[in-house]
Amino acid sequence: MSSLVQSHKRSLGSLPPVGPIAYGLWRFTDDDIEVGQGLLETALESGMNLIDTADVYGFDWGGTGFGQVEEILGQVLAATPGLRDRIVLATKGGIAPPTPYDSSPKYLRSACEASLRRLQTDVIDLYQIHRPDMYTHPADVAITLHALRVEGKIREVGVSNHTPAQVAALQAHLEFPIITNQPEFSAVELTPMRDGTLDQCMAERVTPLAWSPLGGGRLATGEGIAPDLLALLDSLAVREGVDRSQIALAFVLAHPSAPVAIIGSQNPDRIRSSAAALGVTLDRADVYAIVQASEGVPLP
Ligand SMILES: NC(=O)c1ccc[n+]([C@@H]2O[C@H](COP(=O)([O-])OP(=O)(O)OC[C@H]3O[C@@H](n4cnc5c(N)ncnc54)[C@H](OP(=O)(O)O)[C@@H]3O)[C@@H](O)[C@H]2O)c1
């Protein structure tokens, strides 16, 4: 049986190729540097060289405040010679609590420069607009991103939680391509398949970075998940000799837009075992069965 699961490395513009599973740091709020080193080494050993963070991480999920996760990551990078060069470093700016969003030129520049200081690095590989600021003209966002790139502070640009129209509006003012969009996408969040986000990614050669591919853990624990979907994922897990989480990750990787799934576990064993998703075989009938079980209605 040929598999739809795409296990190849993804190409992100001028950046080094990245593994199909990435490691996200939203929950990376333990400030013990050795713990952080261990988690990042485990992710890298498991083929997850894209490391996704944001300036706002630390503001919630047990953190101490805005900027905390970037600070911890900066300390881990400073304490681990060579680590910075082994990762593709992605961060985000533009969420400014309690405003809540600000991508105005002055703010976005200061946010990016603050991220560089906290991360203790000279350059951010992938700088993403975390959420669209509906009160900044995309031409102004583009001018700021262009200047930051010319100054060598960022290498490539992505967006997150942007509608296809918002991506197009920003792209219309940028002289270089937006290389990623980061939507929530999983077996319990199929909106990007339906609202044009993944279609635009395929049309414009934008790589989707799927956040919360396990539904924030619910697909692993089963909490709040439709019984039919759980039963299906469990039966596929038995057939494939993996666990339910790996089937859920494989489902994300099976979309033809070749998403990168950003996992967020703080447990080294779970990070390691996620890589088994790459060996899962899912065919067209399997993925359509997951879609129908998730939506609770048969496709016409
Ligand atoms: N752009 C955005 O707006 C946005 C929003 C949210 C997230 N993100 C990105 O996406 C990344 C991943 O998000 P996420 O952390 O929600 O992803 P996720 O991988 O869907 O969920 C991770 C959570 O699932 C739990 N989990 C995993 N396997 C489990 C198991 N077998 N049993 C019980 N619990 C299990 C983890 O707990 P343990 O730690 O105990 O394993 C962790 O709390 C973030 O770090 C961030 O980079 C972006």
Side-chain angles (χ1 to χ4, degrees), residues 2-294:
S2 73
S3 183
L4 296 177
V5 178
Q6 304 192 60
S7 55
H8 64 271
K9 287 191 173 175
R10 312 310 196 228
S11 157
L12 300 183
S14 64
L15 303 176
V18 300
I21 304 178
Y23 189 48
L25 303 189
W26 176 31
R27 303 172 197 268
F28 188 82
T29 50
D30 186 332
D31 60 8
D32 182 325
I33 298 308
E34 284 184 19
V35 170
Q37 284 174 320
L39 290 169
L40 287 178
E41 281 298 341
T42 303
L44 277 167
E45 283 161 14
S46 311
M48 306 167 195
N49 61 326
L50 176 63
I51 304 299
D52 179 69
T53 188
D55 57 6
V56 73
Y57 291 173
F59 187 74
D60 60 6
W61 193 255
T64 56
F66 189 100
Q68 187 210 6
V69 168
E70 284 189 337
E71 266 166 30
I72 295 170
L73 178 57
Q75 287 161 16
V76 170
L77 292 174
T80 320
L83 181 59
R84 173 66 188 89
D85 294 334
R86 293 165 59 210
I87 66 169
V88 172
L89 177 58
T91 194
K92 319 182 193 76
I95 296 185
T99 304
Y101 309 132
D102 194 344
S103 289
S104 62
K106 192 169 167 212
Y107 177 81
L108 197 59
R109 165 172 289 280
S110 69
C112 180
E113 290 172 350
S115 287
L116 283 166
R117 282 193 295 277
R118 285 189 292 261
L119 291 165
Q120 305 194 42
T121 189
D122 297 333
V123 61
I124 292 160
D125 297 320
L126 177 64
Y127 193 63
Q128 303 158 95
I129 306 296
H130 203 156
R131 287 192 178 266
D133 170 10
M134 293 168 275
Y135 288 88
T136 296
H137 195 292
D140 289 332
V141 182
I143 286 169
T144 313
L145 293 171
H146 182 81
L148 290 168
R149 200 168 187 244
V150 167
E151 291 161 30
K153 292 176 175 160
I154 63 176
R155 290 203 166 103
E156 297 282 4
V157 160
V159 293
S160 174
N161 305 299
H162 279 52
T163 66
Q166 288 165 334
V167 177
L170 178 57
Q171 186 61 73
H173 294 280
L174 266 181
E175 291 171 21
F176 49 87
I178 293 167
I179 61 162
T180 57
N181 190 1
Q182 188 174 141
E184 182 176 7
F185 178 47
S186 71
V188 282
E189 180 47 87
L190 301 178
T191 307
M193 285 196 341
R194 300 273 193 204
D195 70 357
T197 298
L198 298 182
D199 300 308
Q200 180 186 49
C201 285
M202 293 185 284
E204 305 294 337
R205 296 176 176 75
V206 172
T207 298
L209 306 181
W211 64 260
S212 293
L214 299 180
R218 289 181 301 133
L219 282 160
T221 62
E223 193 188 325
I225 305 295
D228 284 357
L229 177 57
L230 276 187
L232 173 61
L233 296 173
D234 285 340
S235 73
L236 290 169
V238 170
R239 186 189 81 192
E240 294 298 313
V242 295
D243 66 28
R244 193 199 297 149
S245 304
Q246 291 144 14
I247 298 293
L249 291 177
F251 170 76
V252 168
L253 301 175
H255 191 272
S257 60
V260 171
I262 314 176
I263 62 160
S265 177
Q266 301 299 296
N267 176 319
D269 289 338
R270 288 183 189 147
I271 296 171
R272 229 174 264 120
S273 65
S274 301
L278 304 179
V280 164
T281 296
L282 292 182
D283 68 10
R284 192 166 264 93
D286 296 328
V287 292
Y288 275 118
I290 292 173
V291 168
Q292 293 179 95
S294 174

